[in-house]
Amino acid sequence: DAGVIQSPRHEVTEMGQEVTLRCKPISGHDYLFWYRQTMMRGLELLIYFNNNVPIDDSGMPEDRFSAKMPNASFSTLKIQPSEPRDSAVYFCASSLDAGGTEAFFGQGTRLTVV
Amino acid sequence: GEDVEQSLFLSVREGDSSVINCTYTDSSSTYLYWYKQEPGAGLQLLTYIFSNMDMKQDQRLTVLLNKKDKHLSLRIADTQTGDSAIYFCAERSNTGNQFYFGTGTSLTVIP
């Protein structure tokens, strides 16, 4: 397996524009996590899915953020409208449903909102 | 969510040992993890420990777990410049299965 695949790797957009980040988890993994990493806040869990169902979205900062997982091999994180304070690295990770297994991370999407 | 705390920075000389510390709050966590993040990359698992263990050794890495104090440490022996990175401690919740990460410790190895 190629691991968790995120696209794009870098995104620069203007304030007010819609941004869509994409993630393909490792095949067979039951859990998918979206994290945001900033210098100020470190690594924050935004939302996670189990078997394509959102379990906890309490980390999503505002209504401008939404995430979907239409099937087991694809998830999106959308920001609409984007703001400069959304600039961060967004990571997607996936995991099996078993206590000892780790979360496998994608390479991240570096988002810059100008 | 659960709190996982780490110091932000650590600087050591090449060849010395590094010790990165972490405290966590969820006493029900059965697995605790150490991840490494190199610049511009995602997080990669270094090692993990099951909560009924108090030590795990893997080559230059030693993980110590004090479950009573909820304290986890990662010791890197003979630290090399290639070990310079950010190290994250994490716990996996027993209730929701999500992973909680610490703030990360930035390790700088001075040649």
Side-chain angles (χ1 to χ4, degrees), chain A residues 9 31 33 35 37 41-43 45 48 55-56 91 95-108 110, chain B residues 1 8-9 30-31 33 35 37 40-45 48 86 88 92 94-104:
Chain A
R9 287 294 310 275
Y31 284 84
F33 308 86
Y35 290 90
Q37 185 178 31
R41 294 173 178 265
L43 200 61
L45 176 64
Y48 75 100
I55 302 301
D56 184 354
F91 286 103
S95 175
L96 286 168
D97 181 11
T101 56
E102 77 260 34
F104 291 82
F105 280 76
Q107 291 290 87
R110 181 173 293 278
Chain B
L8 290 179
F9 303 100
T30 50
Y31 291 92
Y33 305 82
Y35 280 81
Q37 184 184 31
L43 280 70
Q44 287 194 303
L45 180 74
Y48 70 91
I86 302 176
F88 291 88
R92 188 166 197 183
N94 264 352
T95 50
N97 268 322
Q98 65 271 48
F99 293 82
Y100 293 105
F101 284 83
T103 50

